[in-house]
Amino acid sequence: MQDILFDFISKYISLTEEEKNAILSLDIFRTVNKGTVLLEKGQQSPNSYFVLKGCIRVYYIIDGEEKTTAFYTEMEGITPHCVVNKTPSDYYISCTEDSILLVSDADMGIEMNTKFPKFEIMCRMLSEELLAKQQTAFDEFKTSSPEQRYLSLLQNRPDLIQRVPQHQLASFLGIKPQSLSRLRARIAEKSRG
Amino acid sequence: MQDILFDFISKYISLTEEEKNAILSLDIFRTVNKGTVLLEKGQQSPNSYFVLKGCIRVYYIIDGEEKTTAFYTEMEGITPHCVVNKTPSDYYISCTEDSILLVSDADMGIEMNTKFPKFEIMCRMLSEELLAKQQTAFDEFKTSSPEQRYLSLLQNRPDLIQRVPQHQLASFLGIKPQSLSRLRARIAEKSRG
DNA sequence: TTAACCCGTTCACTTAAGTTAAAAAAGAAA
DNA sequence: TTTCTTTTTTAACTTAAGTGAACGGGTTAA
């Protein structure tokens, strides 16, 4: 599991043994059961999450309805809004599968970034990369229809469609579960001719 | 104009005179005319843009149609996808007004970040902040209807609705110009009773 | 001044998503 | 197993967005 982490980091910076040990000594590996809620609305947790194995999801409860807006799977991570802005969270985060996560809090980030300036660089690179990716995803969402979004998801993240319940996928695609079901039927109809 | 920049930076880090001079010596202030295209599809420019005054917009051309996905106004900036990933750009960037911009290229960023580690820190903070903001905006977009998006824009960025053409706003809201026009009529109808 | 173009609006029509409700299918618990 | 619950599908109906076309106001260019 540690190797997976260090492999990932090595894409951005190279670590000495000392630095690797410093990371390991933080003891940030956590195994988490399916269904565990990592962050609740109104909470102001300092924790960031990075998925080594499994899947976590971000969702809101609006008018009593769950609205899922994001999934994070292997080698993806999230620093919640509430950590960055030090405000209560608007959303929930929970595990959709038994997962292995890295859980780091803001203080650990500051400590590591101070002790090892390399870390600061990696964090900046990661944020910039994520920001650019996020922007592209947003642009694609804005410029396409629900059906196109679904087809594109089928292309780019086919695993998600398998491992995640449809009604969560629906709000992720910006529509209602019934519409997703209908849309799928429509596509199947077309491909049958 | 320089004061505006240094005021902005002071929210993140404090600068010495030496550092301020280093920034000024980069000579990054540019005045740009309305309509100027800063980045074209297919180009691989190294430039990031920060708006001191005016407005720039990001747009795609899909099936011959312009699709505007983002506006950046005073104190907002963008590092295009193509800079981060060193790939040709998928989109265009142009000025919707006569503007004063900061234009910096990737090399300058690297140079400043190396010379002044403080800068690295600011860049990380900015990216993290923008990423969190962007995520919230995306979530809001996903969980609301075109009408709600328009009303929310009216609340949060009323200036945009004034300074930007409707047909550009429409795709920014994820709909067609005709639909925006109709939607506005519907809202006016309601408020009249 | 006229002609051409762009933009915002309106209209009629089509298509697809939202809504409400119910049935069917799949999973989890007793 | 049977029961209970959750998830997915289906259906009928409503609402709103997409589409294609046309009109009028405003600007620009010939």
Side-chain angles (χ1 to χ4, degrees):
Chain A
M1 216 71 241
Q2 305 169 0
D3 294 340
I4 297 179
L5 170 61
F6 291 136
D7 275 2
F8 178 80
I9 292 178
S10 73
K11 283 185 212 153
Y12 300 91
I13 55 176
S14 54
L15 293 177
T16 65
E17 283 305 312
E18 186 201 351
E19 288 157 347
K20 286 188 184 179
N21 288 331
I23 292 173
L24 294 178
S25 74
L26 292 172
D27 186 33
I28 51 181
F29 292 80
R30 296 278 179 280
T31 68
V32 188
N33 288 332
K34 174 174 175 171
T36 305
V37 175
L38 300 168
L39 174 66
E40 299 226 24
K41 177 177 174 178
Q43 273 190 338
Q44 205 184 301
S45 145
N47 291 337
S48 293
Y49 304 94
F50 184 86
V51 179
L52 288 170
K53 184 160 179 8
C55 180
I56 64 182
R57 75 183 240 270
V58 170
Y59 61 101
Y60 295 73
I61 297 184
I62 299 174
D63 299 332
E65 285 208 346
E66 265 190 24
K67 306 262 190 178
T68 299
T69 57
F71 297 99
Y72 297 89
T73 57
E74 285 76 15
M75 298 304 112
E76 296 178 335
I78 177 176
T79 296
H81 197 272
C82 65
V83 178
V84 179
N85 292 279
K86 293 166 188 184
T87 54
S89 179
D90 292 327
Y91 51 74
Y92 301 76
I93 303 180
S94 80
C95 284
T96 66
E97 304 173 358
D98 293 342
S99 303
I100 303 174
L101 308 178
L102 300 181
V103 182
S104 66
D105 65 34
D107 292 339
M108 280 162 54
I110 293 170
E111 188 190 328
M112 290 300 284
N113 283 339
T114 312
K115 220 183 262 179
F116 306 107
K118 250 187 232 176
F119 254 75
E120 188 76 47
I121 294 175
M122 181 179 72
C123 288
R124 175 186 54 79
M125 290 175 76
L126 266 169
S127 297
E128 280 178 0
E129 196 182 295
L130 279 174
L131 183 58
K133 202 190 262 181
Q134 179 87 358
Q135 257 155 0
T136 304
F138 197 173
D139 290 351
E140 201 187 320
F141 193 96
K142 273 188 184 170
T143 57
S144 57
S145 68
E147 182 168 328
Q148 290 171 318
R149 282 175 220 150
Y150 178 77
L151 290 172
S152 145
L153 194 70
L154 211 54
Q155 283 281 326
N156 303 319
R157 298 186 68 178
D159 60 303
L160 255 197
I161 295 176
Q162 298 308 319
R163 70 204 287 191
V164 146
Q166 301 278 344
H167 66 282
Q168 291 177 6
L169 266 187
S171 47
F172 180 69
L173 293 169
I175 57 177
K176 296 284 148 85
Q178 297 91 320
S179 297
L180 176 55
S181 187
R182 179 170 41 198
L183 180 159
R184 280 155 57 87
R186 202 165 62 220
I187 291 171
E189 186 61 30
K190 278 184 201 162
S191 70
R192 219 175 298 120
Chain B
M1 217 70 239
Q2 305 170 1
D3 295 338
I4 297 180
L5 170 60
F6 292 136
D7 276 2
F8 178 80
I9 293 179
S10 72
K11 284 185 212 153
Y12 300 92
I13 56 176
S14 54
L15 293 177
T16 65
E17 284 305 312
E18 186 201 351
E19 288 158 348
K20 286 187 185 181
N21 287 331
I23 292 173
L24 293 178
S25 75
L26 292 172
D27 186 35
I28 52 181
F29 292 80
R30 295 280 178 278
T31 68
V32 189
N33 288 332
K34 174 173 175 172
T36 306
V37 176
L38 301 168
L39 173 66
E40 298 226 24
K41 176 176 175 179
Q43 272 190 337
Q44 205 183 302
S45 146
N47 291 338
S48 294
Y49 304 95
F50 184 86
V51 180
L52 288 170
K53 182 156 180 15
C55 180
I56 63 182
R57 76 183 239 270
V58 170
Y59 61 101
Y60 294 74
I61 296 183
I62 299 174
D63 299 332
E65 285 209 348
E66 265 190 24
K67 306 262 188 177
T68 299
T69 57
F71 297 100
Y72 297 88
T73 56
E74 285 77 14
M75 299 303 111
E76 296 178 334
I78 177 175
T79 296
H81 196 272
C82 65
V83 178
V84 179
N85 292 280
K86 292 165 188 182
T87 55
S89 178
D90 292 327
Y91 50 74
Y92 301 75
I93 303 180
S94 80
C95 285
T96 65
E97 305 172 359
D98 292 342
S99 304
I100 304 174
L101 308 178
L102 299 181
V103 182
S104 67
D105 66 33
D107 292 338
M108 281 163 54
I110 292 169
E111 189 189 327
M112 292 299 284
N113 283 338
T114 311
K115 223 185 258 178
F116 307 107
K118 250 187 234 175
F119 254 76
E120 188 75 46
I121 295 176
M122 182 179 72
C123 288
R124 176 186 53 78
M125 290 175 77
L126 266 169
S127 296
E128 281 177 0
E129 196 182 296
L130 279 174
L131 183 58
K133 200 189 263 179
Q134 178 87 358
Q135 257 157 359
T136 304
F138 197 173
D139 290 351
E140 200 187 320
F141 193 96
K142 273 187 184 172
T143 58
S144 57
S145 67
E147 183 169 328
Q148 290 171 319
R149 281 175 220 150
Y150 178 76
L151 290 172
S152 145
L153 194 70
L154 211 53
Q155 283 282 326
N156 304 319
R157 299 186 69 176
D159 60 302
L160 256 196
I161 296 176
Q162 300 307 319
R163 71 205 284 192
V164 147
Q166 299 280 342
H167 66 282
Q168 291 176 8
L169 266 187
S171 48
F172 180 68
L173 293 169
I175 57 178
K176 296 283 145 92
Q178 296 93 319
S179 297
L180 176 55
S181 188
R182 178 169 42 196
L183 179 160
R184 279 156 58 88
R186 202 165 62 219
I187 291 172
E189 185 62 30
K190 279 184 201 164
S191 69
R192 220 175 297 121

